[in-house]
Amino acid sequence: MPATPPTTVDHQRLIVQLQGGDAGALSSLYDAFASVTYRVCLRMLVSPEDAEEVLQDTFLRLDAQAGRYDPARGTVQTFVLTLAHHLCLERLRARRARPQAQDGALNDPAFDLPAPAATHDPLDQVLIDAALSALPASDRQLLEDMFFGGYTHAELTARTGLPLGTVKSRLRRALLKLRERMQP
């Protein structure tokens, strides 16, 4: 009989163990979330070398900041991906560059790899895809530029020519629509 994939409760238990200094818990969390974390980092940074470094830094930061995890604010996966996202933004801002899509970079098979069974629920992906496709294309692009491109509101204003208030309003509206559509 195949092993059952870890659940959110299992991941929360691992965080508690990590808070207690259990190095095995960090290893288990790495096994559970490294693949999806790497893909997010690669999407944001484009460079595989940078993505690998941020992946490693993410789990070092997770080890140091496990005590900040609050289950009321999201899942362990969300916490890990938020750490990675912030580290990617730091890297982007530090090098004063934005990710430039290289020929075929977005067609890279790494972006098409499914997450390990332990962290990927096909129903979740269908819900995410449906929620994103329900957004107007311009709002979806603003979200992608903000999240994956690391652009600030002011930079999005300069890129799109939209007023700052409009950019902020569209982003907020898009996030609220996503939240609404993602609710069970």
Side-chain angles (χ1 to χ4, degrees):
M1 180 172 186
T4 22
T7 64
T8 300
V9 173
D10 295 330
H11 295 146
Q12 289 174 344
R13 190 174 300 119
L14 288 170
I15 282 285
V16 170
Q17 291 171 351
L18 182 60
Q19 291 169 350
D22 182 354
L26 181 62
S27 177
S28 295
L29 288 167
Y30 182 88
D31 291 344
F33 300 121
S35 177
V36 68
T37 304
Y38 175 76
R39 288 194 324 271
V40 167
C41 293
L42 186 60
R43 171 88 189 263
M44 289 183 72
L45 299 171
V46 178
S47 162
E49 295 81 15
D50 285 346
E52 288 172 10
E53 286 180 28
V54 170
L55 174 67
Q56 181 180 2
D57 291 345
T58 298
F59 284 91
L60 290 172
R61 187 166 288 183
L62 176 63
D63 190 27
Q65 296 184 2
R68 290 185 49 220
Y69 172 70
D70 177 6
R73 295 188 68 198
T75 65
V76 175
Q77 180 175 351
T78 301
F79 184 67
V80 171
L81 292 177
T82 299
L83 292 173
H85 181 251
H86 287 287
L87 288 167
C88 286
L89 290 177
E90 287 175 15
R91 177 148 312 206
L92 286 170
R93 290 178 180 143
R95 72 180 183 201
R96 295 289 217 208
R98 298 291 174 232
Q100 301 298 316
Q102 300 166 349
D103 290 337
L106 295 179
N107 296 325
D108 187 329
F111 293 120
D112 297 330
L113 294 176
T119 61
H120 181 71
D121 182 350
L123 182 57
D124 287 344
Q125 189 62 49
V126 169
L127 288 172
I128 292 167
D129 291 344
L132 286 171
S133 66
L135 295 175
S138 60
D139 291 355
R140 187 173 49 249
Q141 186 63 50
L142 281 173
L143 277 177
E144 288 180 3
D145 287 348
M146 182 184 72
F147 186 82
F148 293 115
Y151 292 101
T152 65
H153 291 142
E155 291 169 327
L156 288 172
T157 296
R159 285 190 77 194
T160 62
L162 296 170
L164 180 62
T166 302
V167 168
K168 288 181 177 182
S169 297
R170 284 188 180 179
L171 286 169
R172 176 146 175 77
R173 185 178 60 232
L175 289 170
L176 288 173
K177 282 183 183 178
L178 284 178
R179 175 184 281 178
E180 179 183 303
R181 293 193 54 101
M182 296 300 295
Q183 297 295 326

